[in-house]
C-alpha cells in the first residue's frame, strides 16, 4: 500500500512547529473539542524536539458531574506528543502540584534514568520543580505517557504519543485519528481503593440473583450456583471497578458527548487506539465496519482483518478502516464486564450519529478461568467448600478432583510464598493465547486472538533461550492483596535479575481469576504464540484468568526497570517488582 501523503504530514507537524499547540485547537480544553476538520490531527498536539509540559490541577466535567483532575497543560487527556524516529527530544516537565509527580514514557526505549519511575529510575519531580527528560527516539509507532506517582494516572494524568518513522511507513493511510480510551470517576481513587479493601465486590452491581436463576437470565444451573456459593466466589467478579462508578471516555468525551472523527468515503483511515484507563479492559468494535489490525504496541504486525478485539490496560492497537458509504459509524469500547461503554463516532460530517448498540449480556466466569482447563466434568462439587476465599490464615481442605485446593501449599511452586496473600493456586493453567477473549467466545463475527499477531519483520534475535523462569501472578481477592509469587512489593522482595543481553524464556502463570495486563519497562519481548521467527513484539500482555503466557526476552537494556500489573490498583496493592539488568560478572564495562 502507498505511504501517507507528505503534505498531510507536513501539515501535522508544520502547524505546530517548535512545540506549539496544533492550530487553534490548543485554545480549547480537550473535552470541548470534537471532530477533525481537514486533514489535521484532532487532539491538541505538541511536536519535538523541544516540548514543555506542566502538571497541575483542573476540574473535569463529564455527564453533568465535576471532579478534581490532575492534568498536563490543563488538558485531559494530555496533549498528543508527535515526534520522529531519529530525533533527540528534550521534554521539560514542570510540577505545579503540592505533591511529587512523574511521567513514564510507556513503551519507549530509552536510558533507564529517563524512564520516569520514582524510587526505581529517578527520584520523582518535587513540587514547583522542573525535570528535563532527554533521550534519542529509537522507534516509531503509537505509544502513550502517564504518571507513575501514587494514583495520579486514575485522575487524568495520561496522554498519547505518535512517533513517525524515519523512512517509509509500511502502513498506507489517508487520514488518522488517535483514540484514547479511559475511565473516569468523580470518586477519588484512594476512596475507591479503600472500598475495594473493605469489600472487593463493592462496585459489582451485576451479581447473579435468585430471580436470575429462576428466569434463566443468569445462564447458570442450580448445580453451578451451589458450586460458586460453596466456594464463596462470584462468577461475575470480572472487573474490580465497574460502570457503576466509572464513565468510559474516548478522547476525554463521555458517551453522550459523542466525540466525532471525520472521514471522506473511500479513505483509508488509521485509528491509533490506546487503552489509558486505570482499571478497565475494553472490547472494541465498529458495527458495520471491518478493522484491519496493522500494529500492536507500536510494532508492525502482518495485517489481519477482524470485527472486534479486546484491548487490555496499557496496550495499543492500530487499525485501518475504509468506510465507503456516506454515513456515520459508532465506535464502541465496551467494558468486558458489560457494565458500560465508551462511545464515539466516525462520520463524513459533524453532527451525524449512528445507532448505538445496547450493552450485551454479562459474561460468567468458568472453571477454565479458575485454571482448571478440563472444565467441570468429573468434579466432586461437594468438595468445593474447601475453596473458601474468605479463609484468611489456614490452608483449605483439599478437593477431591485433580488434587487441587485453592489454598493448598502442596500445589504451589517451591519458591512461591503461600500465606494470607494467596488464596488460589491454579491446578492446570493453560496457554489460552489462541482462545477468544473473555466474553467474546460466542459472538458471531471475527475476533482478534493473540495467535493472530505475527511480526511483519523477522525477529532480530532468534537465539534459543539460555534459561527459563516462571513467575506466578497471585492474590487474595477477599483482602484485595496482589503480588508476584505470593509476595507484594512492600515485603522487600528480591528484584528479578538478568545478565545484559541474556536470552530468557519467561512464563507468567495467572493463579487468580482476574485478568492481569503485565508490563515490562524498557524492553519489548517476543510473545511465544506459534510464529517462530516472527513472534510479535509486545511491551504489555494480558494474562487471562487461570492461564499462562510465555515470552522470550532479550535483556538488552542495562539498568533497573519496573515490572508490574497495569491495573493501577493491583500495582498499588503489591503486584510490582523491579527487573535489574547488569553486565555479566567479569565482563568489560
Amino acid at each position: 500500500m502507498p505511504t501517507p501523503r507528505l503534505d498531510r504530514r507536513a501539515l501535522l507537524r508544520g502547524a505546530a512547529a517548535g512545540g506549539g499547540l496544533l492550530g487553534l485547537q490548543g485554545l480549547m480544553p480537550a473535552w470541548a473539542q470534537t471532530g477533525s476538520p481537514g486533514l489535521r490531527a484532532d487532539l491538541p498536539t505538541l511536536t519535538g524536539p523541544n516540548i514543555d509540559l506542566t502538571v497541575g490541577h483542573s476540574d473535569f466535567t463529564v455527564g453533568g458531574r465535576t471532579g478534581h483532575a490532575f492534568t498536563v497543560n490543563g488538558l485531559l487527556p494530555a496533549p498528543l506528543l508527535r515526534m520522529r524516529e531519529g530525533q533527540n527530544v528534550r521534554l521539560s516537565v514542570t510540577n505545579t502540584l503540592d505533591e511529587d509527580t512523574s511521567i513514564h514514557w510507556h513503551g519507549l526505549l530509552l536510558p533507564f534514568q529517563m524512564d520516569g519511575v520514582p524510587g526505581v529510575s529517578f527520584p520523582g519531580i518535587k513540587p514547583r520543580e522542573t525535570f528535563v527528560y532527554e533521550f534519542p527516539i529509537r522507534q516509531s509507532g503509537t505509544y502513550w505517557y502517564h504518571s507513575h506517582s501514587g494514583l495520579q494516572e486514575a485522575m487524568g494524568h495520561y496522554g498519547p504519543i505518535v512517533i513517525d518513522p524515519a523512512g517509509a511507513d509500511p502502513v498506507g493511510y489517508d487520514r488518522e485519528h488517535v483514540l484514547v480510551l479511559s475511565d473516569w470517576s468523580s470518586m477519588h481513587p484512594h476512596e475507591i481503593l479503600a472500598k475495594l479493601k473493605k469489600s472487593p465486590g463493592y462496585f459489582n452491581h451485576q451479581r447473579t440473583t435468585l430471580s436470575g436463576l429462576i428466569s434463566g437470565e443468569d445462564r447458570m444451573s442450580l448445580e453451578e450456583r451451589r458450586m460458586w456459593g460453596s466456594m464463596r466466589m462470584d462468577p461475575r467478579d470480572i472487573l474490580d471497578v465497574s460502570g457503576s462508578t466509572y464513565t468510559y471516555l474516548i478522547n476525554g468525551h463521555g458517551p453522550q458527548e459523542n466525540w466525532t472523527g471525520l472521514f471522506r468515503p473511500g479513505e483509508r483511515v488509521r485509528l491509533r487506539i490506546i487503552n489509558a484507563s486505570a482499571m478497565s479492559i475494553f472490547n472494541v468494535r465498529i458495527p458495520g465496519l471491518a478493522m484491519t489490525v496493522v500494529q500492536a504496541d507500536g510494532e508492525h504486525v502482518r495485517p489481519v482483518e477482524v470485527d472486534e478485539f479486546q484491548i487490555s490496560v496499557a496496550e495499543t492497537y492500530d487499525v485501518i478502516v475504509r468506510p465507503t458509504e456516506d454515513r456515520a459509524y459508532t465506535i464502541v469500547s465496551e467494558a468486558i464486564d458489560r457494565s458500560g461503554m465508551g462511545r464515539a463516532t466516525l462520520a463524513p460530517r459533524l453532527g451525524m450519529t449512528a445507532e448505538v448498540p445496547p450493552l450485551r449480556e454479562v459474561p460468567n466466569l468458568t472453571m477454565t478461568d479458575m485454571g482448571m482447563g478440563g472444565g467441570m466434568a468429573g468434579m466432586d462439587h461437594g468438595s468445593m467448600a474447601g475453596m473458601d476465599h474468605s479463609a484468611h490464615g489456614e490452608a483449605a481442605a483439599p478437593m477431591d478432583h485433580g488434587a487441587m485446593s485453592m489454598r493448598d501449599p502442596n500445589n504451589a511452586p517451591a519458591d512461591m510464598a503461600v500465606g494470607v496473600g494467596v488464596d488460589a493456586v491454579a491446578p492446570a493453567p493453560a496457554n489460552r493465547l489462541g482462545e477468544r477473549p473473555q466474553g467474546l467466545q460466542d459472538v458471531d463475527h471475527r475476533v482478534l486472538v493473540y495467535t493472530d499477531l505475527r511480526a511483519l519483520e523477522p525477529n532480530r534475535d532468534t537465539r534459543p533461550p539460555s534459561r527459563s523462569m516462571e513467575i506466578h501472578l497471585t492474590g487474595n481477592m477477599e483482602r484485595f492483596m496482589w503480588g508476584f509469587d505470593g509476595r507484594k512489593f512492600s515485603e522487600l522482595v528480591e528484584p528479578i535479575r538478568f545478565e545484559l543481553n541474556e536470552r530468557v524464556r519467561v512464563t507468567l502463570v495467572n493463579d487468580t481469576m482476574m485478568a492481569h495486563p503485565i508490563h515490562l519497562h524498557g524492553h519489548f519481548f517476543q510473545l511465544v504464540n506459534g510464529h517462530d521467527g516472527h513472534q510479535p513484539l509486545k511491551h504489555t500482555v494480558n494474562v487471562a484468568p487461570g492461564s499462562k503466557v510465555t515470552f522470550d526476552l532479550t535483556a538488552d537494556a542495562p539498568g533497573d526497570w519496573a515490572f508490574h500489573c497495569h491495573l493501577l490498583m493491583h500495582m498499588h496493592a503489591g503486584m510490582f517488582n523491579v527487573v535489574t539488568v547488569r553486565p555479566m560478572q567479569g565482563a568489560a564495562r
Side-chain angles (χ1 to χ4, degrees), residues 109-187:
L109 302 173
L110 36 63
F112 84 94
Q113 300 93 334
M114 298 289 111
D115 191 49
V117 181
V120 176
S121 55
F122 87 137
I125 309 172
K126 302 296 181 186
R128 287 161 292 282
E129 289 189 358
T130 297
F131 183 85
V132 178
Y133 295 88
E134 194 164 3
F135 51 87
I137 300 294
R138 300 168 46 196
Q139 63 209 98
S140 62
T142 302
Y143 304 94
W144 63 296
Y145 62 106
H146 59 84
S147 173
H148 232 289
S149 300
L151 298 177
Q152 294 174 3
E153 185 183 343
M155 299 177 68
H157 190 337
Y158 53 80
I161 297 174
V162 172
I163 303 175
D164 292 305
D169 193 329
V171 178
Y173 59 101
D174 303 302
R175 186 195 298 259
E176 68 178 8
H177 295 295
V178 177
L179 301 179
V180 180
L181 314 182
S182 60
D183 44 30
W184 170 262
S185 175
S186 56
M187 184 183 296

Side-chain angles (χ1 to χ4, degrees), residues 370 372 387 397-406 408 411 424-427:
M370 292 176 59
M372 304 178 67
M387 298 166 61
M399 293 165 56
D400 290 348
H401 60 280
M404 178 268 189
S405 165
M406 296 298 283
D408 185 356
N411 287 326
V425 177

